[in-house]
Amino acid sequence: MSHEKEPQISKRVSGLPVIGLLTLVYVIAGKFGLMLASLHASASPVWPPAGIALAALLVLGYRAWPAIFVGAFLVNVTTAGNVATSLAVASGNTLEAVCGAWLVNRFAGGTTVFDRPQGVFKFALAAAVSTIISPAFGVTSLALAGFADWTNYGAIWLTWWLGDTTGDLLIAPLIILWSIASKRRWNRREAFEVGILLLLLFVLSEAVFGGWLTISAKDYPIAFICGGIVIWTAFRFTQRETATGIFILSAIAIWGTLHRFGPFVRETENQSLLALQSWTAVLTITAMALSAAMAERRQAEAALRESEARINLAANAANLGLWVWNLRDDEFWVTEKWRRLFGFAESEPVDTGQLLQVVHPEDRERMKQRVQYVLEQDGVDRESEYRVTRPDGSTRWIAGYGGVELDERGELAFARGVSRDITERKTAEEELRETQQRMELAASAAKLGMWMWDIVHDEIWLMDKGRGLFGFGASEKLDFDRFRRVLHPEDRESVLSAVENSLRTGAEYECEYRVVLPNGQIRWLAARGHVEFNADGQAARMHGVALDITRRKEAEEQFRLVLDAAPNAMIMVNKDGQIILINKRVESLFGYTRDELIGQTIEILVPERFRSHYAEHRHGYFCDAKARQMGAGRDLFGRRKDGSEVPVEIGLNPVHTSEGLSVLASIVDISERKQAELEVARHRHELAHLSRIALLGELSGSLAHELNQPLAAILSNAQAAQQFLKEDVFDVNELRQILAEIVAEDKRAGEVIRHVRLLFRKGELGQHFGNLDINEVVQDVLKLVRNDLANQSVTVQTELADNLPAVQGDRVQLQQVVLNLVLNGCEAMIDCDSSERQLLITSGKENGVVHVSVRDWGSSIPEETMERVFEPFFTTKADGMGLGISVCRTIIEAHRGNIGVRNNTEGGATFHFSIPCTYSGPKNST
């Protein structure tokens, strides 16, 4: 039973215009039909609107029903009855069309109903059943309203029903079939044939229904004369042409019958039309069913031809030759491809004797016996392979497959099958055998054991070398259970799991395991294998090789023991960053167990703040793998299991293994060293602080002088102000000037005290870092030692570059450096004449750094002591401590800078230092 197909109105013809046009067509057809009503004004034996309504709902969809309802109402309200009866008749006509469309869609395939004979009969049944509705509504409403006689109810009902049924059978197929685009294209011969058919149909229709024949229809069945033309149309053309021919014939027959011509003329006009419509209905069903059957046959023939063409195409593409052997007549039908395979000419006849002559002499007798066996036994030849010698002398391998067919008496009638050229396959098999022999020889030389497991029969084949690896006897029968028993108990489960995974997924089998030999010895083996599947997708065979890796495993164990004995943490990582080996020191350093780390990525030991770029750094190392320190110049940290971090140093060494390139990392915990370095740095800061205090002691006289001057000025100005205030009249402006000088001198004294306090300040390096102008640092120091320089008769010249970029640093620390260098220069010139005691301080910028130099004209530094000038406690002075210059180096290096000294050609020495222009923070002074 077919499913209902919901008709839909085409988007191209949807909307009110279609409803209006359909209503108009329905009204015109209805008026034409009622013109033929004679028994009752509302009941016509010819009712085209029924077919129009049914076709409209099938083609356009159920939404077209308003057009049917409105059209039927207009036809009936202007004919007979009143508004109520017209509404009842319109409802019946609409419901009849909807019911008929639903039945055709549900049970007959919708608009494809005429594609098969069964569909035609289902359509006729749907039409006959659905047309019961309209006369039931119409005749009953007219009789109840008094517009129809109850005594004539049956005759009116029959006329109404037959008119609707014939309208469905005649008009609906015509509209439906012409609404579907035809795929057929007529040629000139077919067009001529159609013309002849139409002419004959017109002539015979006029002869039968136009009064051209004077013979009586009572004596001769002249009504069947036109049927032959309709049957011819059904045989030669499609359902659309058949429906058109029936419509033309029906139109002429109605015209002739109304004019009292033809075989269906009865006593009354209504009786005549009823007889004609009955004949038309039967002819329509018969012709349309026949046309559908012929169309179905043509489709089957076309499908058969297409199938044969595809089979031949596939056979040629697959290099197959098809053959059929008539066993009774000993004749062969073969394809052209088969002839080329066996070397037969195009028109050369083929029989058993000729075929056997081309079979290779060494295979001829075997093939005779094979054919005889097939004919006498089961009748099915599964496959046979043999050689043929072609006319050019070449030999080809042929694979044949065929079967025997019996006739209706159960006797042998035909044999049919295919042949294909397998010469290339046979050549490849021979080459494969030679390759296998060479592989076995190579495997034996490489001490590999080749094996193959027939899974279906559970049989294992092993080379002699392989039997020795597993400890099997030379003639021992092997199966999978025997293999399982030699596995070490601790490895058995993992090996069986690997085999099961390969059988299930088809993945490569790869495993390392131990076997227990008959003498109790343990041997390590590495096995690789591949699974082959049959046509049903079932695992059929597994084959591969086994290698003795006992020595390698022993070496790995020794290597692991060496690693465990190493004092450093040792981790081996592959290219993917996975940890593949660790020693015990790693467990104690990071808090993880071996099982927790093996297989994890190395990022598990890296603090989260460094992980984002770690994979990139690892990839860069593997691209240029060599032994080196990791992160040179940077502080490295590792992450423990508890989340804490530990400072480390890491050495990297590339290691080439059987698995590819890996890296061995040696990790040293430097926590204690870092702590010691911090302690040393603290002591150095303390030393620098003590050095500043010592400098202040040396400058105490100069500082006192610097303070006495502003204090004396303040006292003098204050006394002057008191004298002014004793007088009754005094100059206010002069008093203001005195007070201003007192404030200025006070600020001067406060600035001296501020500088002293800064030098006494104690703090960690970097605690007071900021942007500094190096020229201001130099000028502040010169202000501080101005009096001391004057006392020593030292003249200072400065050449400070303008617009120098700022540097980042600790102002006090850098002032201490400049102060040390200035005082060191003064001490170097203590034995010189006062006129020669000169210092030159310069600043400038070069290559991204700001540099400062202090030059004196004293004695030069001996060359043999030049390299020791910056060492702690080294001095050339009798009363020196050897700390000032050493502290200078510590401070400058902590500022990421450099300090040095050189002797001048004219005498004296120049100390110089440089600091980067841009700097993000202090460096650990370690």
Side-chain angles (χ1 to χ4, degrees):
M1 182 181 295
S2 61
H3 296 287
E4 179 183 0
K5 295 184 178 179
E6 178 66 26
Q8 297 181 352
I9 297 179
S10 172
K11 293 182 179 178
R12 294 176 296 174
V13 292
S14 60
L16 292 177
V18 175
I19 300 298
L21 179 61
L22 180 59
T23 302
L24 179 62
V25 172
Y26 191 98
V27 171
I28 294 173
K31 286 298 183 180
F32 169 75
L34 292 180
M35 290 172 58
L36 304 180
S38 57
L39 181 62
H40 188 275
S42 296
S44 173
V46 179
W47 189 245
I52 294 173
L54 178 59
L57 293 182
L58 288 173
V59 174
L60 302 179
Y62 294 127
R63 288 178 289 179
W65 70 265
I68 301 169
F69 181 84
V70 174
F73 175 78
L74 293 176
V75 169
N76 286 275
V77 79
T78 58
T79 300
N82 52 28
V83 173
T85 59
S86 297
L87 289 174
V89 173
S91 300
N93 289 354
T94 304
L95 186 59
E96 172 190 290
V98 172
C99 180
W102 183 86
L103 290 172
V104 173
N105 282 322
R106 181 69 176 83
F107 299 104
T111 55
T112 62
V113 61
F114 304 108
D115 289 351
R116 303 179 65 191
Q118 299 94 318
V120 174
F121 291 118
K122 290 179 181 179
F123 177 82
L125 181 60
V129 172
S130 62
T131 50
I132 296 175
I133 298 174
S134 181
F137 274 66
V139 179
T140 301
S141 63
L142 291 172
L144 290 174
F147 294 102
D149 190 356
W150 284 101
T151 59
N152 206 22
Y153 183 92
I156 298 174
W157 191 96
L158 179 62
T159 301
W160 196 314
W161 174 78
L162 187 59
D164 284 10
T165 302
T166 309
D168 281 352
L169 294 175
L170 187 65
I171 302 301
L174 183 68
I175 296 175
I176 293 172
L177 291 171
W178 278 97
S179 69
I180 301 174
S182 176
K183 297 180 180 180
R184 181 167 182 172
R185 296 293 180 267
W186 291 350
N187 52 36
R188 297 179 62 181
R189 184 182 63 80
E190 290 176 331
F192 178 76
E193 185 178 356
V194 169
I196 295 297
L197 278 175
L198 291 176
L199 179 62
L200 287 176
L201 182 63
F202 179 79
V203 171
L204 292 178
S205 297
E206 285 294 330
V208 175
F209 296 102
W212 291 4
L213 297 179
T214 56
I215 58 177
S216 174
K218 296 179 180 179
D219 300 324
Y220 301 97
I222 60 175
F224 295 99
I225 294 177
C226 300
I229 302 301
V230 176
I231 299 302
W232 183 4
T233 305
F235 266 102
R236 294 289 296 146
F237 297 97
T238 66
Q239 298 92 313
R240 183 164 67 176
E241 288 76 21
T242 303
T244 305
I246 295 173
F247 174 76
I248 295 173
L249 174 61
S250 177
I252 296 175
I254 291 173
W255 180 86
T257 301
L258 290 175
H259 289 78
R260 309 295 295 174
F261 296 122
F264 301 108
V265 177
R266 299 292 185 267
E267 295 179 0
T268 65
E269 180 179 301
N270 191 68
Q271 291 176 348
S272 299
L273 290 176
L274 288 177
L276 173 63
Q277 293 295 72
S278 300
W279 173 80
T280 302
V282 173
L283 179 62
T284 300
I285 296 172
T286 303
M288 291 301 295
L290 180 60
S291 179
M294 292 304 299
E296 195 173 31
R297 177 181 175 181
R298 285 191 290 269
Q299 291 176 358
E301 291 175 348
L304 180 61
R305 286 192 297 271
E306 184 178 357
S307 176
E308 290 179 350
R310 288 179 177 177
I311 290 175
N312 287 332
L313 181 61
N316 290 334
N319 201 27
L320 298 176
L322 308 181
W323 54 268
V324 178
W325 180 18
N326 185 337
L327 297 173
R328 295 192 182 114
D329 301 331
D330 192 20
E331 293 179 351
F332 278 83
W333 171 89
V334 295
T335 62
E336 182 180 353
K337 184 67 176 179
W338 189 94
R339 290 181 178 274
R340 290 199 298 269
L341 288 178
F342 286 80
F344 283 91
E346 183 176 353
S347 58
E348 184 180 357
V350 181
D351 56 26
T352 307
Q354 291 172 314
L355 178 59
L356 288 175
Q357 286 300 316
V358 300
V359 176
H360 195 278
E362 296 179 3
D363 299 335
R364 191 173 299 159
E365 188 61 32
R366 177 173 58 85
M367 288 306 300
K368 286 182 180 180
Q369 295 175 0
R370 180 68 176 174
V371 172
Q372 189 65 30
Y373 174 80
V374 170
L375 296 177
E376 293 178 355
Q377 300 298 323
D378 56 1
V380 177
D381 184 9
R382 291 174 177 81
E383 191 169 32
S384 56
E385 297 178 356
Y386 53 93
R387 290 165 292 177
V388 297
T389 303
R390 303 208 295 191
D392 59 2
S394 63
T395 300
R396 309 293 293 180
W397 274 96
I398 302 295
Y401 184 88
V404 176
E405 295 182 5
L406 306 179
D407 59 14
E408 62 276 4
R409 292 174 296 180
E411 297 179 358
L412 296 175
F414 294 95
R416 68 180 71 242
V418 296
S419 301
R420 72 177 189 276
D421 189 340
I422 60 170
T423 305
E424 293 183 359
R425 193 194 80 187
K426 284 293 186 179
T427 303
E429 289 176 353
E430 181 62 27
E431 293 176 352
L432 179 61
R433 280 193 293 270
E434 295 178 358
T435 302
Q436 287 178 337
Q437 292 175 356
R438 290 195 295 268
M439 286 180 60
E440 290 180 2
L441 182 61
S444 179
K447 298 183 179 180
L448 293 175
M450 300 183 66
W451 53 267
M452 193 275 289
W453 176 28
D454 185 341
I455 301 173
V456 177
H457 301 96
D458 191 18
E459 295 179 354
I460 294 179
W461 169 85
L462 263 174
M463 291 176 55
D464 292 339
K465 178 65 177 178
R467 287 180 175 270
L469 290 177
F470 287 88
F472 295 140
S475 60
E476 182 179 359
K477 180 178 174 60
L478 303 177
D479 56 20
F480 191 76
D481 183 66
R482 179 70 179 92
F483 164 72
R484 186 184 62 82
R485 292 201 304 270
V486 301
L487 295 174
H488 194 282
E490 296 179 2
D491 300 337
R492 190 170 296 157
E493 184 176 350
S494 62
V495 174
L496 297 181
S497 176
V499 172
E500 181 182 354
N501 179 68
S502 297
L503 297 180
R504 185 180 67 256
T505 65
E508 290 290 323
Y509 164 67
E510 186 172 359
C511 194
E512 293 183 356
Y513 53 87
R514 291 164 291 180
V515 295
V516 182
L517 302 181
N519 59 5
Q521 180 185 354
I522 304 297
R523 175 173 290 162
W524 273 97
L525 297 177
R528 294 179 66 95
H530 176 72
V531 181
E532 292 183 359
F533 295 86
N534 57 24
D536 298 328
Q538 301 296 321
R541 287 177 299 277
M542 178 185 280
H543 51 82
V545 295
L547 174 65
D548 186 351
I549 59 170
T550 305
R551 291 187 177 180
R552 194 195 82 190
K553 284 292 183 179
E554 292 174 350
E556 290 177 355
E557 179 64 18
Q558 293 175 358
F559 179 65
R560 188 184 65 81
L561 293 175
V562 170
L563 283 183
D564 283 340
N568 298 340
M570 309 294 287
I571 300 179
M572 185 175 289
V573 180
N574 61 18
K575 272 192 173 183
D576 297 325
Q578 290 182 327
I579 300 173
I580 58 178
L581 183 65
I582 68 171
N583 65 354
K584 291 181 179 180
R585 177 64 180 138
V586 173
E587 297 178 286
S588 61
L589 177 59
F590 292 99
Y592 288 97
T593 65
R594 187 184 303 270
D595 293 337
E596 288 175 328
L597 288 180
I598 297 298
Q600 297 291 330
T601 59
I602 191 63
E603 280 79 357
I604 194 175
L605 303 178
V606 178
E608 292 186 4
R609 66 182 187 277
F610 300 130
R611 290 182 183 176
S612 58
H613 301 290
Y614 198 82
E616 180 181 348
H617 295 329
R618 184 176 65 248
H619 176 72
Y621 176 80
F622 276 101
C623 292
D624 184 23
K626 59 184 177 182
R628 63 176 175 84
Q629 286 293 115
M630 178 179 174
R634 301 198 310 268
D635 292 332
L636 303 180
F637 296 88
R639 184 181 183 276
R640 293 190 175 100
K641 184 177 181 180
D642 59 6
S644 62
E645 296 183 2
V646 55
V648 294
E649 283 185 352
I650 303 176
L652 303 177
N653 287 278
V655 178
H656 295 274
T657 68
S658 58
E659 304 298 328
L661 180 62
S662 299
V663 59
L664 181 63
S666 174
I667 305 173
V668 180
D669 182 358
I670 59 172
S671 301
E672 295 182 359
R673 186 204 305 171
K674 283 290 184 181
Q675 188 63 35
E677 289 176 351
L678 290 175
E679 188 66 21
V680 171
R682 188 180 65 82
H683 288 308
R684 287 181 178 176
H685 292 315
E686 292 286 348
L687 188 60
H689 181 245
L690 292 175
S691 176
R692 290 199 299 273
I693 294 175
L695 283 175
L696 290 174
E698 295 178 13
L699 296 175
S700 58
S702 178
L703 293 174
H705 178 76
E706 288 292 326
L707 286 173
N708 283 332
Q709 285 184 346
L711 290 175
I714 291 172
L715 179 60
S716 174
N717 286 320
Q719 289 174 347
Q722 286 178 341
Q723 292 298 325
F724 276 117
L725 291 175
K726 288 179 181 181
E727 297 177 5
D728 295 334
V729 179
F730 56 87
D731 189 348
V732 176
N733 291 331
E734 190 172 354
L735 180 61
R736 286 177 180 170
Q737 183 178 357
I738 291 172
L739 293 176
E741 290 178 0
I742 291 173
V743 172
E745 293 299 332
D746 180 79
K747 288 182 179 180
R748 178 183 172 189
E751 187 70 15
V752 173
I753 295 172
R754 186 180 68 83
H755 279 83
V756 173
R757 291 184 62 190
L758 285 175
L759 289 173
F760 270 106
R761 187 184 65 194
K762 180 179 180 182
E764 295 295 326
L765 180 61
Q767 191 173 0
H768 304 283
F769 261 62
N771 290 330
L772 300 176
D773 184 342
I774 198 67
N775 289 342
E776 290 182 0
V777 172
V778 173
Q779 290 166 354
D780 288 344
V781 171
L782 293 179
K783 289 178 182 179
L784 190 64
V785 298
R786 179 175 53 188
N787 189 63
D788 199 54
L789 294 174
N791 291 336
Q792 298 184 40
S793 301
V794 176
T795 303
V796 178
Q797 294 181 2
T798 59
E799 295 179 2
L800 305 179
D802 296 330
N803 301 320
L804 287 179
V807 297
Q808 278 209 342
D810 189 308
R811 178 180 293 272
V812 173
Q813 296 267 352
L814 294 180
Q815 285 177 350
Q816 182 178 356
V817 172
V818 176
L819 182 58
N820 269 323
L821 297 182
V822 169
L823 295 180
N824 185 73
C826 291
E827 292 176 355
M829 297 184 294
I830 196 169
D831 295 330
C832 298
D833 293 337
S834 58
S835 61
E836 297 178 354
R837 296 177 185 175
Q838 298 180 15
L839 287 177
L840 175 61
I841 302 176
T842 64
S843 67
K845 176 189 173 186
E846 185 178 2
N847 297 328
V849 297
V850 172
H851 57 82
V852 176
S853 64
V854 179
R855 175 179 180 178
D856 65 69
W857 271 260
S859 58
S860 299
I861 301 173
E863 290 296 333
E864 63 272 11
T865 61
M866 183 71 76
E867 295 181 358
R868 302 186 60 194
V869 168
F870 294 100
E871 292 182 4
F873 306 109
F874 176 80
T875 180
T876 58
K877 294 178 256 183
D879 54 351
M881 296 179 61
L883 291 177
I885 301 301
S886 173
V887 169
C888 290
R889 185 181 68 173
T890 300
I891 293 174
I892 294 302
E893 289 181 351
H895 283 72
R896 306 277 180 173
N898 295 303
I899 188 170
V901 62
R902 64 177 179 271
N903 287 324
N904 303 323
T905 307
E906 300 85 355
T910 299
F911 283 83
H912 54 86
F913 67 87
S914 61
I915 300 176
C917 295
T918 57
Y919 172 52
S920 59
K923 173 185 175 183
N924 290 338
S925 55
T926 58

